Amino acid sequence: MGSQTYPVAGGLQTETAPSRHGYLEEIHSWIVTVDHKKLGIMYIVYALLFLVIGGLEAILMRIQLAAPGLHFLEPQTFNRMFTMHGTTMVFLVGMMILFGFGNYLVPLMIGARDMAFPRLNAFSFWMSALAGILLYFSFIGGNGLAGTGTAPDMGWFAYAPLTEKAFSPGHTTDYWTIALLANGIGSIGTSINILATVFCMRTKGMTLMRMPMLPWLYATMSFLTLLAISPLTAAQAMLMIDRYLGGHFFDTQAGGSAILWAHFFWIFGHPEVYVLVLPAFGMASEIIPVFSRKAIFGYPAMVAASVSIGFISLGVWAHHMFTIGLTSYGNAFFTLSTMLVGVPTGIKLFNWLATLWGGKIQYRPPMMFAAAYLIQFLIAGLTGIMLSVSAWDWQLHNSYFVVAHFHYVLVGAIVFMLFSALYYWYPKMTGRMLDEKLAKWHFWLFLIGFHLTFDLMHIPGLLGMPRWIYTYEADRGWGTLNLLISIGGVIQGIAVLIFVYNMVHSYFKGELAGPDPWDAWTLEWATASPPPSYNFATDPVVGSRRPLWDLKHPDDPDSAFE
Amino acid sequence: MTITKKRKATQGNFLTSTQELNCATIAAHRNTRPVKSSTSIRGSLAGLALLVGHQAVALAESPTSIFSTLSTPAHETNSIGLFVVIICTAIFAVVAALLGYAFWRFRAGNSDEHEPAQVFGSMQIELSWTIIPVLIVVVLFLATARTLFSIQDAPKPANALNITAVGHQYWWEYHYPEYGIVTANELHIPVATGNGGRVTYIKLTSADVIHSFWVPQLGGKTDMLPNRVNEMWWDPQKAGVYVGQCGQYCGAQHAKMLLRVYVDTPEQFAAWVAGQRKQQTELVADVVDSTSEAVNPSVGQKVFEQQSCINCHAVQGTVANGRFGPDLTHLMSRDTLGAGAIQNTPENLKAWVEDPQQFKPGCLMPAMHLTNKQNLQITAYLQTLK
Ligand SMILES: [Cu+2]
């Protein structure tokens, strides 16, 4: 392997990246680019920047909570930190980095030269980027430029009527709202783009059922994004009407409804969780087979499971509202629909397990993270089932058990998979390998920190600790646990810094990767690393799900089995 | 230890009393599991888990543990919860073992050049791991639905005590329509078992933003929404003090919107009700005028009534009838101030009147900037509100 590039069905020529321009020209080329690869990288870098910021906010909160009754942060500052942390991590880190990978990988994996609408793509990126700037500008502008800096403090799900003028004067809520509107427009643009790309831009021979799993999952995710972001955008518009035009959709003092916002928010918010996790499924479904040296097990079932997760997830939102006073029938319905998500999710997990079974697993950095992902995702799924038991959720809802559960999903599954994906595709994006020794440090530290924090975090929840509190009483028995949780948070922070260092260091000093460093099977590895701006000199023609396998094993091609 | 003693302990030792109480109640609770659920397999499984849960929680000694349950809704949620925990743990054990085995058994050897056999799928296997989860889901759902309906749609007994609880930014208001009582922050209800026991039904609503009413040992949380009334019930099995706190983020001092529920014996409850029904009076006796230098309750009352205190606070039977803040009519019958933020001692009371923001920064009672003399006078008056 290594330096050789694989022509796919008919003399594909590849070139190395174009030679370097001047410094300013280089920057200019990034700003005006409509190239899906450059946009993808910009998304990822932008998201990683915010990952560090959001992480810092988390660390500040963890210091404050390390012992009962601390005065490290003011109450109001703490409230701002969790609002900003949540909003940042979901919208500026999660969405952005996943769209980044989608942008970069989907066209390459389906053998296209770019996304279906390159200009829309650039527009979407800049809209989403604007959202981050707007949100963080609220630190300066929230109470007017001359006043002291501030930031939104109504929690990332911004329950009405706390967001109404009467309870949230000033402009911080407005920055939050407008930031989410801008981000939503960007997300909708990208979703349309990904859907159009997947359905219209596939190369010759790539039927839908020959498409790799990752584009499938991105298609499902984009479909969900379209359906989920719209209610959020509508709700934001209504909130602005309430705040500035005398509306009272959510203004309970004028007869508005607080539950209405909750419905709007969660009919966005729950599918949003799947919007974030589906791409991670896609990455796992690419990386696990390559490092097990086996084809993905049960591809049709995997596709069906992904799509059905997408559909079912549209009908589960009120499991965030079991305590809000639904009828018993309402609670029962959402219990059942939520539990049902477990079935296709289980199918996915078992199929990954079967992919490992009988393979020859190579524990390179991407696979280390993917292995941890499998176990952690299993746990996250099971605590999810526990929370779906509406009667028990009356106790667990809004407790640290829930915080632990969704961090298990977001960090234990999604962030682990993102690290895996970064180790896996970084060589494609930059042409250089990430350092493996640092990767091991990163992996083990992050793993230990993660489990210290989030395993233990379930327990204070069971002991009645609600979320969003800036301090707690000493007699509750939560102190020791919280101290350990905080220590775990710091360890994770150190691990991430090692990773950031590795990314920068390897960009200049890393070992050259060559087009196909992992001996993989999908089309992105058929072109140079980094790929030329046109991706493929000629349209590749594929005859199976693993075109590069067919090329490498002409005696035993997949195409013979389809 | 008798209940009355415990109550004394509560007053004397604010921070540890609930812990003590908790240990005692956990121990007692072991012997008084409801008979109902031990009749089914589910019940006995849950019973087993409950025991394990109790052991774990006894270690942590938390007065807010959801496992040391003391009323039927809490018992039932707990049993179903532990049932699910057991099933999920079993699933975890099986799948994690398989994963662990695969991780280890199928790791690549060093000198291995050949690709392993490529397997693309298997209908039978895939069907089995679709059907088994479906069956598990059916079981879990039916079990949940049973608990759900039995708690949420339980018929209200004719002699139930009705209370209305109103959430305010960072404190709680309680109405007992049956007795014409209005009070704040510390809820008193009768024990539900034995002679004269009553089940308590609480209507929940909010005066401003969403709050959530949560005392883990008595039951799950129910949200308090403005413009809407939710209802929940408790049938506490044992007298004592139970703590909890607001479960929905409601603004700056959400963290110090603490809850204290006093479950009284029927006699204690009757005595408490009698006390709360007493009106206060205007103490005109030795008043000269509000600029008087004397520090006594009568002067204190005049100072209190001439400040804006009475725009926000009510003292029934006097001119003070504000409704924005907690009702102060029987302030001294409460153990804590500021929704559990601090203990109700004379020093704390004076400090609170001086500047509540030092205890609950961001709470909705402003520092009144009165002179030290005025604070002493007001405090002297407030201390008569027994
Ligand atoms: Cu509250």
Side-chain angles (χ1 to χ4, degrees), chain A residues 55-114:
Chain A
L56 266 174
E57 288 158 355
I59 301 265
L60 290 179
M61 286 190 281
R62 283 318 319 174
I63 297 176
Q64 165 68 19
L65 289 178
L70 291 187
H71 294 283
F72 176 70
L73 294 181
E74 295 284 302
Q76 232 22 11
T77 312
F78 185 90
N79 298 345
R80 289 182 185 124
M81 287 300 123
F82 66 66
T83 306
M84 292 299 268
H85 170 77
T87 311
T88 303
M89 289 304 197
V90 170
F91 293 97
L92 303 179
V93 179
M95 294 295 269
M96 300 273 292
I97 201 165
L98 293 168
F99 278 142
F101 274 104
N103 251 299
Y104 196 95
L105 294 172
V106 169
L108 279 171
M109 288 183 125
I110 62 172
R113 285 195 164 172
D114 206 319

XYZ file of all heavy atoms in Angstrom, chain A residues 55-114:
469
model
N -15.478 23.374 25.776
C -14.828 22.536 26.775
C -14.367 23.368 27.964
O -14.529 22.967 29.114
N -13.811 24.540 27.666
C -13.383 25.431 28.747
C -14.556 25.817 29.634
O -14.436 25.845 30.864
C -12.772 26.695 28.151
C -11.262 26.663 27.988
C -10.775 27.901 27.258
C -10.614 26.556 29.368
N -15.684 26.107 28.996
C -16.877 26.452 29.774
C -17.252 25.304 30.696
O -17.620 25.511 31.860
C -18.038 26.799 28.836
C -17.854 28.137 28.155
C -18.663 28.306 26.868
O -19.318 27.336 26.420
O -18.633 29.409 26.303
N -17.141 24.083 30.166
C -17.463 22.912 30.987
C -16.513 22.819 32.170
O -16.928 22.553 33.303
C -17.392 21.648 30.148
N -15.230 23.052 31.908
C -14.245 22.938 33.000
C -14.549 23.975 34.084
O -14.490 23.674 35.279
C -12.815 23.160 32.454
C -12.507 22.118 31.379
C -11.797 23.157 33.585
C -11.797 20.894 31.831
N -14.905 25.196 33.678
C -15.245 26.221 34.675
C -16.410 25.743 35.540
O -16.393 25.876 36.764
C -15.616 27.536 33.986
C -14.459 28.274 33.300
C -14.955 29.545 32.634
C -13.366 28.596 34.306
N -17.415 25.161 34.888
C -18.558 24.671 35.664
C -18.133 23.551 36.605
O -18.592 23.463 37.741
C -19.648 24.157 34.724
C -20.396 25.261 34.023
S -21.839 24.620 33.179
C -21.148 23.916 31.700
N -17.257 22.683 36.085
C -16.858 21.553 36.929
C -16.058 22.014 38.136
O -16.119 21.398 39.196
C -16.048 20.521 36.126
C -16.847 19.607 35.203
C -18.141 19.057 35.734
N -18.128 18.628 37.119
C -19.204 18.221 37.778
N -20.376 18.172 37.188
N -19.110 17.853 39.031
N -15.275 23.097 37.992
C -14.551 23.606 39.158
C -15.566 24.097 40.189
O -15.472 23.794 41.377
C -13.585 24.736 38.751
C -12.522 24.174 37.797
C -12.925 25.360 39.979
C -11.567 25.200 37.260
N -16.563 24.837 39.718
C -17.574 25.380 40.628
C -18.306 24.255 41.373
O -18.683 24.400 42.533
C -18.561 26.246 39.842
C -19.849 26.583 40.559
C -19.642 27.519 41.757
O -18.626 28.190 41.856
N -20.603 27.531 42.664
N -18.520 23.116 40.688
C -19.310 22.038 41.300
C -18.464 21.022 42.057
O -18.987 20.071 42.612
C -20.128 21.317 40.224
C -21.287 22.115 39.633
C -21.988 21.315 38.562
C -22.280 22.515 40.712
N -17.157 21.232 42.089
C -16.276 20.217 42.678
C -16.582 19.958 44.146
O -16.295 18.883 44.651
C -14.817 20.623 42.495
N -17.134 20.936 44.828
C -17.507 20.732 46.234
C -18.754 21.559 46.501
O -19.019 22.523 45.795
C -16.361 21.165 47.145
N -19.524 21.182 47.536
C -20.738 21.954 47.822
C -20.391 23.366 48.284
O -19.385 23.585 48.952
C -21.402 21.149 48.945
C -20.348 20.274 49.503
C -19.381 20.012 48.403
N -21.235 24.320 47.860
C -21.120 25.674 48.384
C -19.907 26.476 47.958
O -19.510 27.391 48.658
N -19.297 26.153 46.827
C -18.138 26.937 46.361
C -18.582 28.280 45.780
O -19.715 28.455 45.345
C -17.366 26.163 45.296
C -16.625 24.920 45.769
C -15.778 24.375 44.628
C -15.747 25.238 46.964
N -17.648 29.234 45.753
C -17.963 30.549 45.196
C -17.044 30.887 44.043
O -16.660 32.032 43.858
C -17.853 31.617 46.279
C -18.882 31.457 47.343
N -20.195 31.836 47.156
C -18.829 30.921 48.582
C -20.888 31.551 48.237
N -20.082 30.991 49.117
N -16.653 29.897 43.273
C -15.722 30.135 42.167
C -16.381 30.962 41.068
O -15.810 31.904 40.547
C -15.239 28.786 41.635
C -14.342 28.890 40.439
C -13.059 29.402 40.560
C -14.784 28.467 39.197
C -12.229 29.506 39.462
C -13.955 28.560 38.089
C -12.681 29.080 38.218
N -17.619 30.617 40.717
C -18.373 31.390 39.731
C -19.588 32.019 40.399
O -20.186 31.422 41.288
C -18.875 30.487 38.597
C -17.874 29.824 37.665
C -18.616 29.011 36.615
C -16.997 30.851 36.976
N -19.948 33.206 39.940
C -21.214 33.804 40.357
C -22.357 32.927 39.845
O -22.224 32.322 38.775
C -21.381 35.179 39.706
C -20.374 36.203 40.146
C -20.710 36.722 41.520
O -21.819 37.240 41.682
O -19.873 36.570 42.431
N -23.494 32.903 40.557
C -24.626 32.109 40.062
C -24.953 32.432 38.595
O -25.103 31.541 37.762
C -25.777 32.519 40.975
C -25.140 33.014 42.214
C -23.790 33.541 41.848
N -25.040 33.717 38.313
C -25.429 34.124 36.964
C -24.382 33.691 35.936
O -24.708 33.290 34.828
C -25.564 35.630 36.953
C -26.784 36.284 36.438
C -28.099 35.569 36.366
O -28.336 34.482 36.882
N -29.000 36.212 35.671
N -23.105 33.764 36.314
C -22.044 33.343 35.398
C -22.168 31.850 35.113
O -22.054 31.406 33.977
C -20.670 33.638 36.014
O -20.683 34.972 36.500
C -19.567 33.459 35.000
N -22.437 31.099 36.172
C -22.603 29.661 35.997
C -23.752 29.382 35.025
O -23.631 28.570 34.116
C -22.879 29.009 37.345
C -22.958 27.509 37.280
C -21.821 26.737 37.457
C -24.173 26.870 37.031
C -21.888 25.357 37.390
C -24.240 25.486 36.961
C -23.097 24.733 37.146
N -24.861 30.110 35.217
C -26.011 29.902 34.337
C -25.667 30.230 32.887
O -26.130 29.562 31.962
C -27.192 30.748 34.802
C -27.654 30.375 36.208
O -27.286 29.328 36.720
N -28.431 31.234 36.828
N -24.851 31.250 32.698
C -24.418 31.573 31.334
C -23.541 30.474 30.775
O -23.622 30.127 29.602
C -23.640 32.887 31.336
C -24.553 34.047 31.596
C -23.819 35.377 31.554
N -24.788 36.380 31.938
C -24.636 37.239 32.943
N -23.512 37.269 33.622
N -25.588 38.081 33.230
N -22.695 29.926 31.642
C -21.769 28.893 31.169
C -22.526 27.674 30.661
O -22.207 27.134 29.616
C -20.812 28.479 32.300
C -19.759 29.510 32.612
S -18.721 29.857 31.192
C -18.939 31.597 31.040
N -23.542 27.227 31.401
C -24.200 26.009 30.894
C -25.049 26.301 29.672
O -25.175 25.454 28.783
C -24.940 25.230 31.987
C -26.145 25.863 32.630
C -27.296 26.113 31.903
C -26.141 26.150 33.983
C -28.413 26.658 32.509
C -27.255 26.692 34.605
C -28.392 26.959 33.856
N -25.586 27.525 29.596
C -26.343 27.869 28.393
C -25.415 27.906 27.178
O -25.713 27.318 26.128
C -27.013 29.245 28.560
O -27.784 29.231 29.757
C -27.896 29.569 27.386
N -24.283 28.565 27.341
C -23.347 28.683 26.223
C -22.718 27.331 25.899
O -22.519 26.984 24.741
C -22.256 29.707 26.558
C -22.766 31.122 26.656
S -23.494 31.704 25.101
C -22.079 32.463 24.338
N -22.404 26.559 26.925
C -21.800 25.250 26.698
C -22.736 24.378 25.858
O -22.318 23.805 24.851
C -21.504 24.578 28.039
C -21.094 23.143 27.940
N -19.834 22.763 27.546
C -21.778 21.994 28.164
C -19.767 21.441 27.533
N -20.941 20.940 27.914
N -23.998 24.319 26.268
C -24.945 23.476 25.535
C -25.147 23.964 24.115
O -25.060 23.187 23.152
N -25.408 25.256 23.973
C -25.659 25.791 22.640
C -24.432 25.602 21.755
O -24.538 25.194 20.592
C -26.013 27.289 22.745
O -27.011 27.452 23.752
C -26.534 27.813 21.431
N -23.275 25.890 22.309
C -22.035 25.767 21.536
C -21.820 24.328 21.080
O -21.567 24.063 19.901
C -20.835 26.197 22.403
O -21.060 27.515 22.852
C -19.543 26.129 21.616
N -21.927 23.410 22.021
C -21.602 22.027 21.690
C -22.583 21.440 20.675
O -22.194 20.687 19.793
C -21.582 21.172 22.957
C -20.402 21.475 23.852
S -18.831 21.304 22.987
C -17.679 21.210 24.340
N -23.848 21.789 20.783
C -24.814 21.209 19.855
C -24.732 21.875 18.483
O -24.615 21.210 17.464
C -26.248 21.308 20.411
C -27.265 20.929 19.339
C -26.396 20.401 21.609
N -24.781 23.205 18.486
C -24.931 23.880 17.199
C -23.594 24.215 16.550
O -23.454 24.140 15.334
C -25.757 25.156 17.366
C -27.176 24.872 17.743
C -27.591 24.921 19.058
C -28.099 24.500 16.770
C -28.898 24.633 19.411
C -29.409 24.212 17.114
C -29.805 24.279 18.433
N -22.622 24.622 17.346
C -21.375 25.086 16.735
C -20.335 23.988 16.631
O -19.446 24.050 15.796
C -20.805 26.260 17.537
C -21.757 27.449 17.674
C -21.122 28.547 18.492
C -22.161 27.974 16.302
N -20.426 22.985 17.494
C -19.459 21.895 17.408
C -20.102 20.703 16.690
O -19.669 20.323 15.605
C -18.945 21.483 18.793
C -17.955 20.340 18.673
C -18.299 22.669 19.480
N -21.137 20.158 17.278
C -21.749 18.946 16.719
C -22.172 19.115 15.277
O -21.664 18.444 14.372
N -23.097 20.038 15.049
C -23.612 20.230 13.691
C -22.493 20.575 12.715
O -22.412 20.040 11.619
C -24.649 21.352 13.664
C -25.913 21.059 14.417
S -26.837 19.718 13.681
C -27.893 20.597 12.548
N -21.642 21.494 13.121
C -20.631 21.999 12.189
C -19.622 20.916 11.814
O -19.263 20.761 10.654
C -19.891 23.194 12.801
C -20.769 24.362 13.156
S -21.070 25.557 11.854
C -19.547 26.333 11.570
N -19.139 20.176 12.802
C -18.093 19.206 12.476
C -18.684 18.068 11.650
O -18.050 17.557 10.718
C -17.374 18.695 13.746
C -16.015 18.125 13.378
C -18.201 17.671 14.495
C -15.104 17.931 14.562
N -19.933 17.709 11.938
C -20.537 16.621 11.168
C -20.816 17.076 9.745
O -20.567 16.330 8.789
C -21.814 16.136 11.864
C -21.507 15.467 13.217
C -22.764 15.258 14.018
C -20.788 14.146 13.001
N -21.301 18.297 9.597
C -21.470 18.811 8.237
C -20.112 18.909 7.539
O -20.003 18.718 6.334
C -22.160 20.171 8.253
C -23.659 20.073 8.366
C -24.370 20.979 9.132
C -24.355 19.070 7.698
C -25.757 20.894 9.237
C -25.740 18.977 7.801
C -26.431 19.893 8.566
N -19.087 19.220 8.307
C -17.749 19.286 7.724
C -17.348 17.946 7.120
O -16.945 17.865 5.952
N -17.501 16.898 7.908
C -17.164 15.570 7.386
C -18.070 15.207 6.211
O -17.633 14.625 5.222
C -17.277 14.511 8.481
C -16.029 14.372 9.297
C -15.950 14.896 10.576
C -14.923 13.725 8.773
C -14.793 14.778 11.320
C -13.755 13.595 9.516
C -13.691 14.133 10.799
N -19.337 15.555 6.332
C -20.275 15.239 5.259
C -19.861 15.919 3.968
O -19.803 15.301 2.898
N -19.547 17.184 4.085
C -19.095 17.936 2.930
C -17.874 17.319 2.287
O -17.772 17.192 1.080
C -18.690 19.342 3.380
C -19.666 20.365 2.907
O -19.853 20.513 1.711
N -20.301 21.042 3.833
N -16.940 16.962 3.143
C -15.680 16.462 2.626
C -15.863 15.085 2.000
O -15.377 14.809 0.909
C -14.647 16.385 3.754
C -13.243 16.252 3.225
C -12.437 17.371 3.063
C -12.727 15.007 2.850
C -11.166 17.262 2.535
C -11.462 14.887 2.328
C -10.677 16.021 2.175
O -9.426 15.915 1.634
N -16.611 14.228 2.696
C -16.585 12.813 2.331
C -17.658 12.392 1.340
O -17.405 11.538 0.490
C -16.721 11.957 3.597
C -15.531 12.077 4.546
C -15.827 11.357 5.851
C -14.280 11.495 3.889
N -18.855 12.965 1.463
C -19.944 12.429 0.643
C -19.603 12.479 -0.853
O -19.672 11.455 -1.534
C -21.282 13.116 0.982
C -22.353 12.763 -0.038
C -21.725 12.710 2.381
N -19.185 13.627 -1.399
C -18.873 13.624 -2.834
C -17.745 12.648 -3.182
O -17.837 11.907 -4.161
C -18.440 15.071 -3.109
C -19.055 15.871 -2.021
C -19.066 14.981 -0.824
N -16.705 12.602 -2.344
C -15.591 11.692 -2.646
C -16.051 10.240 -2.628
O -15.652 9.443 -3.467
C -14.479 11.879 -1.612
C -13.528 13.061 -1.838
C -12.640 13.245 -0.615
C -12.670 12.832 -3.076
N -16.889 9.900 -1.671
C -17.280 8.498 -1.548
C -18.226 8.044 -2.633
O -18.318 6.855 -2.915
C -17.921 8.258 -0.178
C -16.922 8.303 0.934
S -17.762 7.936 2.466
C -16.804 6.597 3.043
N -18.952 8.987 -3.226
C -19.852 8.564 -4.291
C -19.260 8.889 -5.662
O -19.927 8.786 -6.675
C -21.256 9.201 -4.150
C -21.163 10.713 -4.246
C -21.914 8.794 -2.834
C -22.529 11.381 -4.311
N -17.988 9.275 -5.653
C -17.296 9.496 -6.922
C -17.730 10.756 -7.646
O -17.665 10.825 -8.876
N -18.139 11.788 -6.892
C -18.564 13.039 -7.536
C -17.432 14.063 -7.472
O -16.492 13.914 -6.691
C -19.801 13.580 -6.835
N -17.538 15.107 -8.280
C -16.493 16.115 -8.267
C -16.755 17.220 -7.258
O -15.850 17.935 -6.880
C -16.340 16.722 -9.660
C -15.632 15.763 -10.574
C -15.151 16.452 -11.802
N -14.162 15.618 -12.456
C -13.667 15.897 -13.643
N -14.070 16.974 -14.301
N -12.765 15.115 -14.172
N -17.986 17.398 -6.881
C -18.300 18.379 -5.834
C -19.707 18.094 -5.362
O -20.347 17.149 -5.817
C -18.189 19.818 -6.374
C -17.883 20.801 -5.240
O -18.470 20.661 -4.155
O -17.046 21.698 -5.438
